[in-house]
């Protein structure tokens, strides 16, 4: 089974947003949303010693995806090839996964009211095509392939050219989108856009911490009460009740 | 301009590739469907894009009779299947609900926006009658043509046949005119478009104000990035820390308007340190001694005071580019109408290119290869006794008579000199956004007896039109093919419709033919349909129409470097001397500097900023702001201001301000973007926003228009272009209504 | 015992006489409700598969998922069952508002009085063996049942509302998020009450007659006397007063014809039935993606028999091979199941309306045997005709006509013409 990964060369990227536009068009993403964003760091430093880079952000298809566990219906899942997908038939739009993602890679599609995100253009892959963002990238800065194929570009970029993950001290969930850069662009991006801690919205917290234990306790207590009653009934015999 | 040469033939390998690829394209037609729409068969039409004028190869994927997706055409020899954001969003312009839908005749006052829908027959009969009236009353020259875009050529033929020589595109006097003249003065030919820059093979790239990345021409970005990935050195001269500057080995945050000083200092370093390509210059150039003498005083130390750049940086950057010679691209720029000395600045850049031996060399600027085209026999156009009204060839001796001087036409309309201009046909250009000094343009419009606008969208100028003709978008029409000689492999690419025209819109060729019929000018458009026109055009190229249409583009063998040239390609340097003219005799003869001379610019007074403007990668000028997808990516512009200046003015990020220029012109409200990425003496905004067209529901009054603040221009005396970076603005606290 | 005047019971009769407690509609609704709850609880439990929130073992989730095929099917099924539940309740609430809802629910099922509160206290103590105090007299529903009803009537709108919010993604993410939690919490509350309810009804010996009353609608008068004394008194007093001519029976609002028909006592008005048939057809198109039919289903049955008897012949035959393909289940067709549903639905509605009986509908002049022979002959002719026409009055005329198929209209005209002519010649069979 393949382990799909993407590498974006930030030295080549010019932030033109062709990837975003191609993706929005490919997937009918409504205006104002995106499955892949281009976020400029802006100029960092003191004039004229400045640095800047573009963070080409998307779902990282993490090894340990924090978005899967909070999905109540199991709509979000990870396929064997590592692609984290949202089954649109199962999604109810509760948004627990949206807040859980450290990379802000998910959004609620206002047209379908379901959560949407990058799936590495899984349906294109099935037809032997590369993701839409990769084929259109004007700077030829995006690469996609199998991380386990030791003869492939991705393997080489990750294991010999030192493509990096965007991680922080607290958040290490094994992202599979890597960044190359000769001028320290990935480090700059990681510093400016550190992944946030995965969090569960209040409703989810209440559910797992309060409602579920209470519900189980209530049903359990009722059950116990009835068990007592049942045994009382057995002990005393049925006739006792039919006075 | 390239001389008439032998046809570029199709090599055997190309032919094989073409045949194999046609088969592939046919089978791919059903397999390649956009993502979510898997399962349903999609039809695809190979065409080229018109979201800007780069005309990248595009495949329009059609589902249920609609263009569902546009992807790059991998068989396009230049763009190789890549499309920018705009190219990917093209169908959102096709399906823009705000499109002009039917011909409209004005019923209210000019600018009031009251129109009556009419049939095409009514509209064109009316149009032809007005043209004939003007011709009878003032002569055919009284009608001026202001075109832009791939489809405007057909109507241009009608206008020429009608008898008017007055045609002008902003592409010249508001864009790349000075460059074409400056390089032609030096090398005998202009740079042309698409610029044949061998960025992928360059070992050093020099950008002077060019903001690749923010300005996206797909293949230029691809090659630029490839070059950088291969280790090319990058030198960026820009008052702003642009996207490209962030990738540069040397960023030179120059004082605006002092580029010639920097260029002279660079030339000084190269010549004094003997870093020039001596062999190349000895063989191909004249005037080197004059040049050496001329630049002697212009040391980096001298230039440092003018440019506010460290002398060391000037010296280091000169040495860096020289070390890479001849594989150096000194980017000639594109929109170069800045300060009125633009032809001379282009000359300086051309001279620098020559010193590095980079013209006609791999990794430098490539030479064009002629593609022979077929043509119909048509009568000669009637000659005007009164000549052009825009000053091309007279007031502005070196201006292009093919592209014209649009500000010259406005001047002539306002002054009725040398003769009255009473009618304008504006075709696909946006005169209120593309030409500076809006007030003058509007005054000229008020003097017109006839204003006809052919457009796709209800842009502001349509409010003033007497007749509006709705053109079909590029995805609905045939256009003249894109024939590119200025590429390593020259090619032809077709524009063909993916879907039939929507509403009551019509393709440009149809409008031209219908008008030609009404004016009795059919002899100049002697073909029945676009296929016949295209077939004739490609007759000498050795390719079939079917193949061309299936593949979308076909490339030919090119001879882009000096080493590859053959005799049939004509003289290497078609100048008067046959050599590279480092010192220009022609300029001297017409009373200008033979070698560029630096003249210091005026600085903005305290509290004022020089207004700079540029492009965003997701928009083309003022054409795409109403596109749903692109509007979603960027719906308005901001004004970049140095963070210290902003703090001094008490402005916070995102605060809405109004800008005011020295003539009291005010912008629409715009958000401040305080940033370390710009000098303190200027502000910057992206062009194309702040449109005042109520019919554009997404774009109207979003952001601010730089053009509304450009009320002063510096006219280049050599070729008449309008230098537009000479306006100072200050912040006016927004007046709350 | 209450201090109210005791009406002397005619004790001898009590154990024999049955009195009516539940209307048939209530009985049906009860069991419909029970089945729906079973389905929704099972599928709902399996739907909460997230590690954070799951409360059933993984094997259970896997099992239910596999039974459904995919999780998407499971969710669809859960939503479909829930929507059916909501629809039935809505119909019940709207058409039965006056008859059941207002009186039954608000006056008799929910309102608690002093006796009820006492009853609750003593009942619990007695079950736990802590008291021998007699229970206060109760109305048609005892206080326990009322408590349960009250809780259910509060929770059901919550469950329905949150269910709709989740199913149709109404509102922002935060709202949907809270809907999931509320849905779960409300169900948990009902389930704990449901456990008592089921225990009392199915296991608790004293309430056994109540359980059977949910099947027959009747309770022994003795049970009513003992457990629902206040109601028994009410019934008795009304009976006596009525017998003495002192009171009219409780006035019952005159139901409309449609309301009566919906209660399945008489045939529906023809136009309403036609409208209903149209809606059924529309629903079939929406849900199944094809129209209704009849003869096509029978053809499938025949093809199935043929595939059992002579599979080689069937799969090679130019006509039967349309139905019989190796590896393809012959009966996997909507019409097959539709016909079963039609038969079942016919029996149920006939039974509900009290029209169910064995009979041979025939004209007065012919014997049943002739009628059967003619029916068979006529059926064979129509069957052959239907195949010739590629459809019958259902598949071609009704479904085809609904999509404006020209063939359908030709067929219908022909059917009417042939029927008109045939009726004249065959009139003696029926008159």
């Amino acid at each position: 089974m393949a382990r799909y990964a993407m590498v974006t060369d930030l030295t080549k990227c010019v932030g033109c947003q062709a990837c975003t536009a191609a993706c929005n068009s490919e997937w009918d993403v409504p205006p104002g949303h995106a499955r892949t964003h281009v976020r400029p760091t802006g100029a960092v430093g003191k004039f004229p010693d400045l640095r800047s880079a573009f963070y080409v952000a998307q779902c990282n298809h993490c090894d340990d995806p924090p978005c899967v566990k909070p999905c109540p219906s199991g709509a979000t899942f990870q396929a064997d090839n590592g692609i984290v997908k949202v089954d649109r038939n199962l999604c109810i739009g509760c948004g627990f996964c949206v807040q859980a993602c450290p990379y802000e890679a998910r959004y609620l599609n206002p047209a379908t009211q379901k959560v949407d995100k990058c799936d590495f253009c899984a349906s294109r892959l099935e037809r032997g095509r590369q993701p839409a963002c990769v084929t259109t990238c004007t700077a030829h800065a995006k690469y996609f392939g199998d991380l386990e194929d030791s003869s492939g570009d991705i393997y080489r970029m990750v294991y010999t050219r030192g493509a990096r993950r965007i991680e922080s001290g607290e958040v290490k969930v094994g992202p599979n989108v890597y960044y190359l850069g000769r001028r320290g662009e990935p480090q700059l991006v990681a510093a400016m856009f550190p992944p946030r801690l995965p969090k569960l919205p209040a409703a989810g917290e209440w559910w797992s911490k309060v409602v579920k234990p209470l519900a189980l306790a209530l049903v359990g207590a009722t059950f116990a009460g009835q068990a007592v009653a049942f045994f009382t009934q057995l002990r005393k015999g049925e006739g006792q009740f039919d006075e | 301009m390239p001389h008439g040469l032998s046809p570029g033939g199709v090599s055997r390998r190309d032919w094989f590739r073409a045949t194999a690829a046609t088969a592939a394209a046919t089978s791919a037609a059903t397999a390649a469907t956009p993502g979510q729409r898997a399962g349903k068969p999609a039809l695809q039409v190979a065409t080229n894009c018109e979201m800007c004028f780069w005309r990248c190869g595009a495949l329009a994927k059609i589902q249920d009779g609609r263009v569902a997706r546009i992807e790059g055409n991998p068989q396009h020899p230049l763009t190789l299947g890549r499309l920018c954001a705009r190219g990917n969003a093209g169908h959102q312009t096709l399906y823009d609900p705000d499109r002009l839908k039917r011909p409209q005749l004005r019923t209210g006052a000019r600018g009031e926006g009251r129109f009556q829908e009419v049939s095409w027959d009514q509209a064109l009969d009316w149009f032809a009658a007005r043209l004939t009236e003007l011709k009878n009353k003032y002569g055919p020259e009284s009608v001026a043509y202001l075109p832009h875009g791939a489809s405007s050529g057909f109507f241009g033929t009608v206008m020429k046949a009608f008898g008017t020589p007055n045609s002008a595109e902003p592409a010249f006097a508001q864009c790349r005119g000075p460059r074409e003249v400056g390089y032609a003065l030096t090398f005998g030919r202009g740079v042309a478009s698409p610029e044949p820059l061998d960025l992928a093979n360059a070992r050093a790239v020099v950008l002077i104000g060019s903001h690749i990345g923010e300005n996206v021409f797909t293949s230029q970005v691809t090659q630029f990035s490839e070059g950088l990935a291969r280790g090319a050195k990058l030198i960026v001269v820009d008052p702003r820390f642009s996207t490209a500057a962030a990738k540069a080995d040397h960023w030179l945050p120059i004082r605006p308007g002092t580029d010639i000083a920097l260029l002279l200092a660079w030339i000084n370093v190269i010549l004094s340190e003997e870093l020039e390509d001596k062999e190349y210059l000895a063989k191909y150039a004249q005037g080197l001694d004059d040049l050496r003498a001329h630049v002697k005083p212009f040391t980096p130390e001298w230039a440092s005071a003018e440019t506010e750049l460290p002398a060391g940086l000037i010296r280091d950057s000169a040495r860096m580019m020289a070390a890479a010679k001849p594989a150096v691209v000194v980017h000639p720029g594109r929109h170069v109408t800045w300060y009125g000395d633009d032809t001379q600045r282009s000359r300086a850049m051309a001279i620098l290119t020559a010193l590095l031996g980079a013209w006609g060399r791999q990794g430098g600027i490539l030479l064009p290869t002629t593609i022979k085209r077929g043509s119909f026999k048509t009568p000669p156009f009637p000659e005007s006794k009164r000549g052009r009204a825009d000053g091309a060839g007279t007031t502005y001796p070196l201006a292009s008579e093919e592209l014209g001087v649009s500000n010259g036409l406005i001047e002539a309309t306002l002054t009725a000199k040398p003769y009255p201009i009473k009618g304008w046909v504006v075709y696909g250009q946006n005169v209120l956004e593309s030409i500076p000094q809006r007030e003058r343009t509007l005054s000229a419009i008020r003097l017109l007896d006839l204003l006809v606008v052919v457009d796709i969208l209800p842009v502001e100028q349509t409010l003033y039109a007497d007749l509006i003709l709705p053109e079909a978008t590029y995805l609905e029409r045939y256009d003249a093919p894109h024939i590119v000689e200025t590429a390593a492999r020259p090619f032809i690419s077709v524009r063909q419709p993916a879907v039939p025209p929507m509403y009551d819109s019509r393709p440009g060729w149809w409008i031209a033919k219908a008008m030609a019929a009404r004016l009795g000018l059919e002899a100049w458009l002697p073909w029945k349909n676009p296929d016949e026109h295209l077939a004739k055009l490609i007759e000498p190229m050795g390719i079939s129409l079917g193949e061309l249409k299936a593949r979308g583009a076909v490339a030919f063998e090119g001879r882009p470097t000096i080493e590859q040239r053959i005799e049939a390609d004509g003289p290497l340097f078609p100048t008067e001397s046959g050599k590279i003219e480092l010192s220009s005799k022609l300029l001297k003869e017409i009373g200008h500097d033979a070698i560029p001379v630096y003249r210091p610019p005026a600085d903005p007074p305290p509290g004022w900023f020089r207004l700079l403007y540029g492009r965003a990668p997701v928009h083309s000028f003022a054409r795409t702001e109403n596109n749903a997808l692109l509007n979603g990516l960027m719906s308005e512009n901001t004004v970049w201001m140095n963070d210290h200046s902003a703090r001094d003015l008490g402005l916070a990020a995102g605060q809405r301000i109004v800008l005011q220029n020295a003539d009291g012109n005010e912008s629409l409200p715009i958000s401040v973007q305080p940033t370390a990425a710009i000098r303190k003496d200027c502000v910057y905004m992206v062009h194309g926003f702040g449109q005042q067209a109520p019919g554009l529901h997404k774009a109207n009054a979003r952001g601010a228009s730089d053009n509304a603040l450009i009320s002063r221009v510096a006219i280049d005396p050599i070729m008449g272009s309008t230098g537009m970076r000479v306006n100072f603005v200050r912040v006016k606290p927004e007046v709350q209504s | 015992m209450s201090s109210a005047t005791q009406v002397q019971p005619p004790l001898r009769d009590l154990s024999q006489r049955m009195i009516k407690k539940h209307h048939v509609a209530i009985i049906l609704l009860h069991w419909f409700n029970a089945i729906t709850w079973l389905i929704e609880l099972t599928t709902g439990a399996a739907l909460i598969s997230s590690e954070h929130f799951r409360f059933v073992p993984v094997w259970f989730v896997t099992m239910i998922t596999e039974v459904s095929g995919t999780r998407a099917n499971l969710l669809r099924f859960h939503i479909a069952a829930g929507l059916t539940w909501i629809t039935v309740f809505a119909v019940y609430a709207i058409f039965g508002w006056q008859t059941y809802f207002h009186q039954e629910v608000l006056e008799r099922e929910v309102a608690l009085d002093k006796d009820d509160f006492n009853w609750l206290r003593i009942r619990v103590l007695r079950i736990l063996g802590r008291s021998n105090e007699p229970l206060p007299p109760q109305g048609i529903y005892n206080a326990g049942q009322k408590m349960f009803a009250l809780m259910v009537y509060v929770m059901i709108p919550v469950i329905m509302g949150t269910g709709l919010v989740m199913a149709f993604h109404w509102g922002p993410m935060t709202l949907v998020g809270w809907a999931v939690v509320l849905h779960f919490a409300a169900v948990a509350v009902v389930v704990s009450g449901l456990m008592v309810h089921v225990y009392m009804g199915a296991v608790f010996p004293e309430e056994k007659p109540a359980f059977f009353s949910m099947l027959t609608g009747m309770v022994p008068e003795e049970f009513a006397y003992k457990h629902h004394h206040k109601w028994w008194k009410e019934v008795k007093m009304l009976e006596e007063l009525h017998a003495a001519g002192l009171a009219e029976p409780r006035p019952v609002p005159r139901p409309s014809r449609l309301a009566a028909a919906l209660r399945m006592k008489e045939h529906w008005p023809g136009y309403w039935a036609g409208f209903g048939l149209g809606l059924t057809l529309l629903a079939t198109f929406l849900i199944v993606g094809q129209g209704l039919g009849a003869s096509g289903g029978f053809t499938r049955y025949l093809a199935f028999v043929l595939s059992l008897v002579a599979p080689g012949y069937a799969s090679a035959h130019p006509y039967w091979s349309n139905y019989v393909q190796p590896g393809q289940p012959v009966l996997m067709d909507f019409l097959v199941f539709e016909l079963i549903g039609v038969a079942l639905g016919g029996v149920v509605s006939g039974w509900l309306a009290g029209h169910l009986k064995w009979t041979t509908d025939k004209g007065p002049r012919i014997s049943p045997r002739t009628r059967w022979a003619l029916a068979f002959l006529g059926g064979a002719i129509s069957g052959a005709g239907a195949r010739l026409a590629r459809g019958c009055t259902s598949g071609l005329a009704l479904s085809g006509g609904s999509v404006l198929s020209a063939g359908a209209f030709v067929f219908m005209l022909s059917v009417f013409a042939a029927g008109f002519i045939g009726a004249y010649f065959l009139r003696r069979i029926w008159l």
Side-chain angles (χ1 to χ4, degrees), chain A residues 10-18 20-22 25-28 31 43 47-48 50-52 54 88 123-124 127 129 132 134-140 182-183, chain B residues 31 33-38 69 71 81-85 88 91 213 216 218 221-222 225-226 228-229 241 243 246-248 251 253 617-618 629 633 676-677 679:
Chain A
L10 297 182
T11 299
K12 289 173 105 181
C13 172
V14 297
C16 75
Q17 300 187 69
T20 309
S25 173
E26 179 86 23
W27 297 103
D28 292 330
F47 188 95
L50 300 172
R51 295 164 56 198
S52 76
F54 293 101
R88 302 211 295 169
S123 60
R124 285 170 68 102
R127 296 192 307 272
R129 302 198 65 205
V134 173
T135 58
T136 210
C137 177
T138 62
H140 196 182
R182 281 185 296 145
R183 312 169 64 92
Chain B
T33 55
Q36 282 171 307
R37 311 167 181 99
R69 177 91 168 86
E71 289 197 65
R82 299 182 187 277
L83 282 182
C84 73
N88 273 291
H91 53 311
V216 171
T218 306
V221 170
T222 314
S225 288
E226 291 288 356
L228 289 187
F241 189 66
T243 296
K247 300 178 188 302
W251 170 44
V618 301
L629 201 165
L633 295 181
R679 288 170 55 96

Side-chain angles (χ1 to χ4, degrees), chain B residues 331-412:
Chain B
H331 196 302
R334 183 144 185 139
H335 170 85
V336 293
T337 51
W338 300 349
Y339 304 105
D341 58 359
D342 308 301
T343 304
Q344 290 292 15
R345 186 183 62 252
S346 295
R347 273 270 298 151
M349 289 161 71
I351 290 167
L352 181 63
T353 300
L355 293 184
L356 296 167
W359 184 265
R361 304 291 280 276
Q362 191 181 5
I365 300 181
L366 301 175
L367 301 171
T369 313
T370 307
I371 299 173
K372 195 160 181 187
R373 327 167 181 202
S375 59
F376 288 95
K377 273 212 159 56
T378 53
F381 292 119
E383 203 143 322
S384 165
K385 288 181 201 78
R386 297 195 283 178
R388 296 184 65 99
D390 62 353
T394 49
T395 319
Y396 311 117
L398 297 184
S400 158
E401 297 199 26
E402 188 190 329
L403 293 169
V405 182
S406 28
N407 41 305
L409 276 183
I410 291 170
E411 181 76 20

Side-chain angles (χ1 to χ4, degrees), chain B residues 547-625:
Chain B
E547 176 206 347
L548 180 60
K549 286 175 134 188
R551 297 188 59 184
V554 176
F556 307 98
E557 198 187 343
R559 293 175 295 280
T561 60
I562 288 179
E563 294 79 14
Q564 291 164 307
R565 294 308 262 195
I566 56 175
E567 203 181 328
D569 288 330
L572 265 179
F573 303 103
T575 52
E576 213 182 296
S577 61
K579 289 197 161 188
I580 302 171
E581 302 202 336
L582 299 176
S583 169
S584 171
K585 216 172 98 194
L586 178 55
L587 275 180
K588 197 166 188 177
E589 277 168 15
I590 59 172
H592 297 283
D593 303 324
I595 300 173
V597 171
Y598 168 73
R599 291 180 179 83
D603 274 332
W608 292 76
F609 303 89
R610 186 182 293 274
L611 175 67
L612 303 180
Y613 51 84
R615 301 192 63 187
V618 301
H619 286 296
S620 290
F621 320 129
R623 290 168 60 168
T624 58
E625 285 71 13

Side-chain angles (χ1 to χ4, degrees), chain A residues 82-148:
Chain A
I83 298 182
V84 176
K85 291 186 182 176
V86 180
D87 184 337
R88 302 211 295 169
N89 293 316
L90 272 176
C91 177
I92 55 174
C94 69
F96 289 0
C97 58
V98 175
Q99 297 215 29
C101 176
Y103 297 96
E104 299 177 55
R106 292 167 165 261
Y107 74 99
L108 187 82
N109 185 321
T112 61
Q113 286 290 310
K114 295 183 181 198
V115 169
D116 189 27
K117 67 171 212 49
C118 161
D119 64 353
F120 277 160
C121 280
S123 60
R124 285 170 68 102
L125 299 183
E126 281 163 22
R127 296 192 307 272
R129 302 198 65 205
Q130 293 259 300
C133 58
V134 173
T135 58
T136 210
C137 177
T138 62
H140 196 182
K142 292 198 113 189
Y143 302 85
F144 176 82
D146 183 1
L147 194 54
E148 289 171 0

Side-chain angles (χ1 to χ4, degrees), chain C residues 95-140:
Chain C
F95 288 105
W97 178 256
Q98 195 58 41
T99 325
Y100 311 115
F101 220 77
H102 191 242
Q103 289 164 1
E104 290 276 335
V105 174
L106 299 183
E107 290 174 17
R108 309 213 285 175
E109 279 188 34
V110 178
L112 292 155
D113 58 18
K114 206 178 81 190
D115 284 339
D116 290 330
F117 288 113
N118 276 326
W119 186 93
L120 283 173
R121 182 176 54 82
I122 299 167
R123 175 85 276 179
V124 174
L125 292 174
R126 277 170 67 117
I127 287 177
L128 296 174
R130 292 276 179 277
S131 170
N132 276 320
E133 211 181 325
L135 289 161
Q138 294 289 290
I140 187 166

Side-chain angles (χ1 to χ4, degrees), chain B residues 144-219:
Chain B
Y145 186 46
L146 294 118
H148 188 255
S151 62
S152 62
F154 296 119
F155 201 83
T157 303
V158 176
M159 294 308 287
K160 279 186 205 161
F162 175 74
T164 177
N166 292 317
S167 166
E169 304 197 15
F172 186 77
Q174 280 69 46
C175 194
R176 56 192 171 89
R179 176 190 85 181
E180 296 305 311
V181 174
Y183 277 72
L185 283 165
T186 314
F187 296 111
R189 60 178 111 226
V191 180
S193 172
E195 294 84 11
L197 313 177
D198 197 5
L199 288 160
N201 296 310
R203 280 184 282 124
V205 175
V206 183
L207 303 180
I208 302 170
S210 290
H211 50 334
I212 298 185
E214 286 148 291
N215 175 29
V216 171
F217 304 136
T218 306
S219 58

